[in-house]
Amino acid sequence: PSPAMGRRVVPPPPPPGVLEVVISYVVTHVDMAKLAVVIEMRKMTPGDKDTVIAGVFVLAMLLAQVTLVVLARFIARAVAGGPKEVEEPVSAQVAGLAWMMSAGITHPEKAEEEEDQDDIHTPVKIRPEDEAPDSPLGPPPTPFSPSGRQSVFYSKLTTHEHQRLREFRALLNKSAREDPTLLSTPALKRFANDATLCRYLRARDWNLKRAMKMLKASLQWRKAARPEFITWDDVKKEGEEGKQYLSGRDRHGRAVLIARPGRDGGREQASHVRFLIYTLEHATWSDTAEDDLPLGAHAEHTSEKLVVLINFTGWTLATAPPMKTARETLAILQEHYPERLAVAVCYNPPWIFAVFWKAISPFIDPNTYRKIRFVNPKREKEVRRMRQMFDMSCVDEDLGGDRSNAFDARAFGDKMRVFDARKAAVLKAKARR
């Protein structure tokens, strides 16, 4: 029989298309990648596995957050009938604010901007009993003197700033008369000196309403937390880990606070926050706070500023504080110690720190964000800048300095007890007045 009348001839299969080739390639390499991941995970310790899992989880949460924000904006634009005008890009220097905007977080200054926009030029009505009496000694004070001191005491303020300070003092006296708990103790009255009031005014661009709101919150916080009365024995367990301590001054005369989060062995939030408060009080303490000069916006603030040097050696996500603790720490630094941070240097952060940074950066005030610097010890230019800022004889070896990394907990404890005794004597003398 002929081939046409016999079995049917099957045509050869067509050559694979582009899509089939791509799919085959991806499947093959995905299987290889899975195998490589399994092999690597078998080599990991349980701690390393926990760190990887935590990192993947945080990245997934961030991706989900960004996806929800983009979806919400797309729906809002569709409902509004078209896209809105494109905003001008924000510079990299204020990337923290850009992240807050993309995450849908409104900065508190923006929320109150319309309400308080005229406050800068609105004087406060000052009652005679709210003003401090003029000083009978020496040259007569200026007409704007808020505490009866001689004119030279306010030489670091402009006339406008001097007036704002006078109005702010009167507003505080009025608020204290309405709420006696604001200045109910000698320690609170000592805290609310002219220098402190100027720091709160500078932090809120000399806006009286916003500065008063911030100061009231701090006075209420200090009344509850009593930071002046925390002693070394109260935080000894945290302090002996050597994770926070003062280390001299930088080349500009600013106090240097060294933080070592890799040495943090505890996860208890209350003790961590309490030790942070004790350290900040030590770093900012002044035996003669009443005599600290009030400083204006353009004055030299070296005497009031801190430089925080954070050594990330040994830091992992396992030693990172819980998010609640990190947020409370930021709140304390930004809301109750305003205008204290000069610059924060993050030395040698590991790559996994980027995960934690992305999670916490939306809660950082833009002004604070601008003061944060990262130093990679492998980059000569960054190391050179660090040496220009710090006296390396006061910096530990693992930070590129000349001092030993060893931490003598007993010697440090003795030093802090001496400080506690001096502080207690000052507060006792203030209470007797």
Side-chain angles (χ1 to χ4, degrees):
S2 64
M5 298 176 61
R7 60 180 182 178
R8 188 175 60 179
V9 178
V10 179
V18 176
L19 181 60
E20 288 81 357
V21 173
V22 171
I23 292 176
S24 176
Y25 180 84
V26 170
V27 170
T28 302
H29 284 74
V30 166
D31 291 339
M32 294 176 63
K34 289 181 180 178
L35 179 61
V37 169
V38 171
I39 294 174
E40 289 297 324
M41 290 193 69
R42 288 178 178 175
K43 298 178 182 178
M44 292 182 180
T45 63
D48 293 335
K49 291 180 180 179
D50 292 341
T51 301
V52 172
I53 293 173
V56 172
F57 176 76
V58 173
L59 285 174
M61 293 296 293
L62 290 174
L63 181 60
Q65 182 183 19
V66 172
T67 303
L68 289 174
V69 170
V70 173
L71 182 61
R73 289 188 174 185
F74 177 79
I75 294 174
R77 288 181 178 180
V79 172
K84 297 181 179 180
E85 294 183 2
V86 179
E87 299 180 356
E88 294 184 2
V90 183
S91 65
Q93 193 177 19
V94 289
L97 180 57
W99 178 264
M100 293 175 70
M101 294 171 61
S102 65
I105 301 173
T106 302
H107 193 269
E109 292 186 7
K110 297 294 183 181
E112 299 179 0
E113 185 175 358
E114 294 184 0
E115 177 184 355
D116 299 329
Q117 60 183 354
D118 297 329
D119 180 69
I120 296 180
H121 304 290
T122 304
V124 174
K125 295 181 179 180
I126 303 174
R127 297 174 50 170
E129 59 266 29
D130 290 334
E131 299 184 40
D134 291 341
S135 172
L137 304 176
T142 66
F144 303 128
S145 175
S147 60
R149 289 181 177 270
Q150 299 180 16
S151 312
V152 67
F153 186 73
Y154 302 99
S155 60
K156 302 297 183 181
L157 301 174
T158 65
T159 303
H160 173 72
E161 292 169 345
H162 210 165
Q163 170 67 13
R164 299 306 280 178
L165 177 58
R166 174 186 170 94
E167 294 173 352
F168 195 33
R169 174 66 66 181
L171 188 59
L172 175 60
N173 291 340
K174 178 182 177 182
S175 299
R177 189 170 61 250
E178 297 171 351
D179 181 6
T181 62
L182 286 179
L183 298 176
S184 58
T185 66
L188 291 174
K189 294 177 181 178
R190 182 181 185 275
F191 169 75
N193 55 40
D194 289 337
T196 297
L197 265 58
C198 277
R199 282 194 293 272
Y200 279 77
L201 283 169
R202 295 200 309 267
R204 291 296 178 259
D205 296 326
W206 302 89
N207 185 302
L208 289 181
K209 289 183 180 179
R210 288 165 50 201
M212 192 68 239
K213 181 179 179 180
M214 188 183 192
L215 180 60
K216 279 184 178 180
S218 291
L219 290 172
Q220 293 166 353
W221 173 80
R222 295 184 77 88
K223 185 177 184 298
R226 292 168 56 86
E228 302 94 339
F229 299 98
I230 301 175
T231 66
W232 170 255
D233 292 328
D234 297 328
V235 296
K236 179 180 178 181
K237 183 178 179 181
E238 294 277 334
E240 287 181 342
E241 294 178 349
K243 58 185 179 182
Q244 292 174 12
Y245 51 89
L246 290 181
S247 181
R249 295 183 176 272
D250 70 352
R251 297 189 185 277
H252 298 283
R254 301 170 296 196
V256 177
L257 172 60
I258 292 183
R260 290 176 170 272
R263 290 181 177 176
D264 192 352
R267 304 285 291 184
E268 186 181 352
Q269 178 181 355
S271 59
H272 175 89
V273 173
R274 193 171 179 82
F275 180 60
L276 169 70
I277 295 172
Y278 177 76
T279 305
L280 290 173
E281 287 294 307
H282 180 211
T284 59
W285 176 261
S286 172
D287 289 346
T288 57
E290 298 88 345
D291 297 327
D292 291 347
L293 294 178
L295 303 177
H298 301 289
E300 178 60 53
H301 304 138
T302 298
S303 60
E304 297 186 339
K305 295 290 188 178
L306 297 175
V307 175
V308 180
L309 180 54
I310 308 174
N311 185 357
F312 280 94
T313 301
W315 186 92
T316 64
L317 282 179
T319 60
M323 185 59 63
K324 183 178 179 181
T325 304
R327 291 181 61 179
E328 184 173 355
T329 299
L330 279 174
I332 290 174
L333 288 169
Q334 295 176 166
E335 298 172 13
H336 304 312
Y337 294 89
E339 291 295 302
R340 286 296 193 180
L341 179 64
V343 62
V345 179
C346 300
Y347 185 87
N348 195 27
W351 67 269
I352 197 66
F353 176 74
V355 177
F356 181 78
W357 178 252
K358 284 292 185 182
I360 196 63
S361 59
F363 305 102
I364 301 178
D365 183 270
N367 291 329
T368 304
Y369 195 100
R370 297 186 187 102
K371 300 175 183 178
I372 299 175
R373 300 289 183 271
F374 293 88
V375 173
N376 185 342
K378 297 180 180 180
R379 297 180 180 178
E380 181 61 30
K381 185 177 181 180
E382 296 179 6
V383 174
R384 186 165 58 250
R385 288 178 179 173
M386 186 170 170
R387 289 183 174 274
Q388 292 173 352
M389 179 184 297
F390 296 99
D391 178 3
M392 303 311 286
S393 63
C394 300
V395 178
D396 298 341
E397 290 177 345
D398 57 353
L399 286 164
D402 305 323
R403 195 175 66 175
S404 172
N405 301 333
F407 180 75
D408 190 337
R410 176 177 294 182
F412 185 70
D414 293 341
K415 179 181 176 181
M416 298 312 297
R417 288 190 178 94
V418 171
F419 164 71
D420 290 342
R422 190 176 82 245
K423 180 176 62 173
V426 171
L427 293 174
K428 187 176 181 180
K430 176 67 177 177
R432 289 176 179 173
R433 297 178 189 173

